[in-house]
Amino acid sequence: LNPFREVNVPKEREIFTDDDEIFGNGEINPFSLEEIEQLLLKTDGYLKNFIGIMSRTGMRPGELTALRWSDVDFDNEIIKIRRTRILGKNGPPKKKASVRDIEMLIGVKEFFQAQFELTGLNSSGDVFLNSSNRPFYNHDVIGKQFKSLLDSKDKRYLYQLRHSFATIMISEGEDIL
């Protein structure tokens, strides 16, 4: 007789987390506008577009890797955040409030247009694809490529672009909420 025969096994629950909870110590160390521009000068292709969009929208990296072309409204300059990508699957954004529409600030549309030249006609509809023209499993590869652009002593990581956006917006007098 197995004493566990009648025990109900708990269902596995998907939990989506931010990089801050996985890597580093959660310390906020934003990039300046000048540092972001220097990073953009060091790269091209999808990585340049990823950095440009993330640093000008405050999107989470998982939200950006899950983004589909149907979420990008070029005419109204709106980005619809409806999902995030983690471990090869799209799921709901981190929080209920993370489902949102983002206005494209100056420069964002141009990065999307450059990315559209790379992946705009793919059959999956994903904005960002890996070197095999498939959706990214997660944003780890992008994070490693981003890290390679930094000085070896610089301990910042991809997610700091989100903090950089918030810091820059607050310094320009925008409401933090």
Side-chain angles (χ1 to χ4, degrees), residues 23-37:
F23 304 112
N25 58 8
E27 183 180 317
I28 296 173
N29 188 2
F31 293 92
S32 68
L33 278 173
E34 295 77 22
E35 288 175 313
I36 292 169
E37 290 306 315

Side-chain angles (χ1 to χ4, degrees), residues 122-137:
N122 76 79
S123 59
S124 70
D126 291 280
V127 173
F128 288 95
L129 298 173
N130 64 23
S131 58
S132 301
N133 285 323
R134 298 182 51 85
F136 282 92
Y137 183 74

Side-chain angles (χ1 to χ4, degrees), residues 105-142:
L105 299 178
I106 294 171
V108 174
K109 188 174 184 177
E110 290 75 14
F111 285 110
F112 273 114
Q113 288 170 327
Q115 186 61 28
F116 190 84
E117 294 293 320
L118 301 174
T119 63
L121 301 176
N122 76 79
S123 59
S124 70
D126 291 280
V127 173
F128 288 95
L129 298 173
N130 64 23
S131 58
S132 301
N133 285 323
R134 298 182 51 85
F136 282 92
Y137 183 74
N138 58 26
H139 57 270
D140 289 354
V141 170
I142 298 168

Side-chain angles (χ1 to χ4, degrees), residues 51-162:
I51 293 169
I53 294 166
M54 192 173 165
S55 65
R56 287 166 171 77
T57 63
M59 291 174 67
R60 293 177 178 91
E63 294 170 343
L64 201 44
T65 53
L67 199 65
R68 312 210 53 170
W69 285 113
S70 58
D71 300 324
V72 181
D73 181 344
F74 282 105
D75 293 334
N76 296 306
E77 299 187 357
I78 299 287
I79 309 158
K80 298 173 187 160
I81 306 303
R82 302 295 184 263
R83 68 193 73 75
T84 193
R85 188 157 188 86
I86 189 167
L87 303 178
K89 295 181 180 173
N90 288 341
K94 182 179 181 187
K95 303 176 207 166
K96 197 174 190 179
S98 298
V99 175
R100 64 201 186 281
D101 290 349
I102 299 174
E103 293 178 41
M104 290 187 202
L105 299 178
I106 294 171
V108 174
K109 188 174 184 177
E110 290 75 14
F111 285 110
F112 273 114
Q113 288 170 327
Q115 186 61 28
F116 190 84
E117 294 293 320
L118 301 174
T119 63
L121 301 176
N122 76 79
S123 59
S124 70
D126 291 280
V127 173
F128 288 95
L129 298 173
N130 64 23
S131 58
S132 301
N133 285 323
R134 298 182 51 85
F136 282 92
Y137 183 74
N138 58 26
H139 57 270
D140 289 354
V141 170
I142 298 168
K144 287 177 184 166
Q145 291 173 338
F146 176 79
K147 193 73 176 149
S148 74
L149 299 174
L150 303 177
D151 181 278
S152 61
K153 295 176 185 172
D154 194 334
K155 300 300 179 200
R156 292 177 291 185
Y157 44 95
L158 184 63
Y159 200 89
Q160 294 295 342
L161 291 174
R162 178 170 161 82

